[in-house]
Amino acid sequence: MIAVISGDIIKSRSVDPKVWMPALEEAIGLYSDKFDIFRGDSFQAELTRQNALTATVYIKAAMLAYNLDVRIGIGIGTKEYDAPHIKNSFGSALTYSGEAFEELKKETIFFKSAYPKLDAVCNVILPLVAELTTRWTPNIAETVKAAFQNEGANQAELAKILDKKYQSQVSTELQKASYAKIQRALDYCTKEMLAL
């Protein structure tokens, strides 16, 4: 089984795509070597089940650093046909991802699989995670990105990476981001997914 995400940018006219597009490509590319960006603001990527949820929140952080946001539908399933471009492949993971994306109304993350109990759990937890991200400033989003990229780094190391004068700045921003709570939520959902 694989994970596929389908998403789009919630646009802000004040931000030039030349600025955020490389950041979007870099964010998706950190977790996937099979992705497409199309229509200028939509994307689809194949991921492992293990990193699908982390990648989703990381992509949100990457865009929130530019005062943008993303809507993402996550699908877990199989891939029956593997085309050179993910958008031309097909299988249940891609179908569920598309259906999850279509379900997005007021939420910015939705999850779909062949397992209704897993869907129910994830679709209670992930919208809460997404709600927490709406409180992030661009600085907080940058700190969260660095924490995801440098898993295992302590706050002093993150301060150095982010070129912040004090470690306490990193501590404050991660606290404001609810980073530890988000990590626990993502770990729980991922564990449930991998148990299938």
Side-chain angles (χ1 to χ4, degrees), residues 127-157:
L128 292 172
V129 168
E131 182 63 30
L132 289 172
T133 69
T134 63
R135 302 171 190 174
W136 294 356
T137 63
N139 280 347
I140 290 172
E142 280 294 344
T143 302
V144 169
K145 258 179 66 183
F148 273 124
Q149 281 178 321
N150 301 282
E151 210 174 313
N154 64 36
Q155 291 180 355
E157 291 165 336

Side-chain angles (χ1 to χ4, degrees), residues 103-175:
E103 285 291 325
L104 292 168
K105 304 289 186 265
K106 290 183 179 177
E107 305 299 347
T108 59
I109 301 175
F110 198 80
F111 181 93
K112 191 145 173 43
S113 70
Y115 305 93
K117 281 185 181 172
L118 176 66
D119 294 1
V121 166
C122 289
N123 287 321
V124 165
I125 294 172
L126 294 175
L128 292 172
V129 168
E131 182 63 30
L132 289 172
T133 69
T134 63
R135 302 171 190 174
W136 294 356
T137 63
N139 280 347
I140 290 172
E142 280 294 344
T143 302
V144 169
K145 258 179 66 183
F148 273 124
Q149 281 178 321
N150 301 282
E151 210 174 313
N154 64 36
Q155 291 180 355
E157 291 165 336
L158 286 176
K160 201 174 277 187
I161 289 164
L162 290 161
D163 203 22
K164 292 191 185 283
K165 202 170 184 178
Y166 303 106
Q167 173 259 315
S168 60
Q169 290 173 282
V170 171
S171 175
T172 301
E173 287 175 350
L174 290 178
Q175 248 177 335

Side-chain angles (χ1 to χ4, degrees), residues 61-127:
M63 293 299 94
L64 286 163
Y66 290 94
N67 270 324
L68 298 169
D69 200 358
V70 290
R71 301 179 319 143
I72 298 177
I74 306 160
I76 304 296
T78 58
K79 183 168 66 167
E80 280 83 52
Y81 176 68
D82 190 11
H85 290 280
I86 185 74
K87 65 183 178 185
N88 297 329
S89 299
F90 61 84
S92 63
L94 290 106
T95 302
Y96 291 139
S97 173
E99 289 173 0
F101 184 76
E102 294 302 318
E103 285 291 325
L104 292 168
K105 304 289 186 265
K106 290 183 179 177
E107 305 299 347
T108 59
I109 301 175
F110 198 80
F111 181 93
K112 191 145 173 43
S113 70
Y115 305 93
K117 281 185 181 172
L118 176 66
D119 294 1
V121 166
C122 289
N123 287 321
V124 165
I125 294 172
L126 294 175

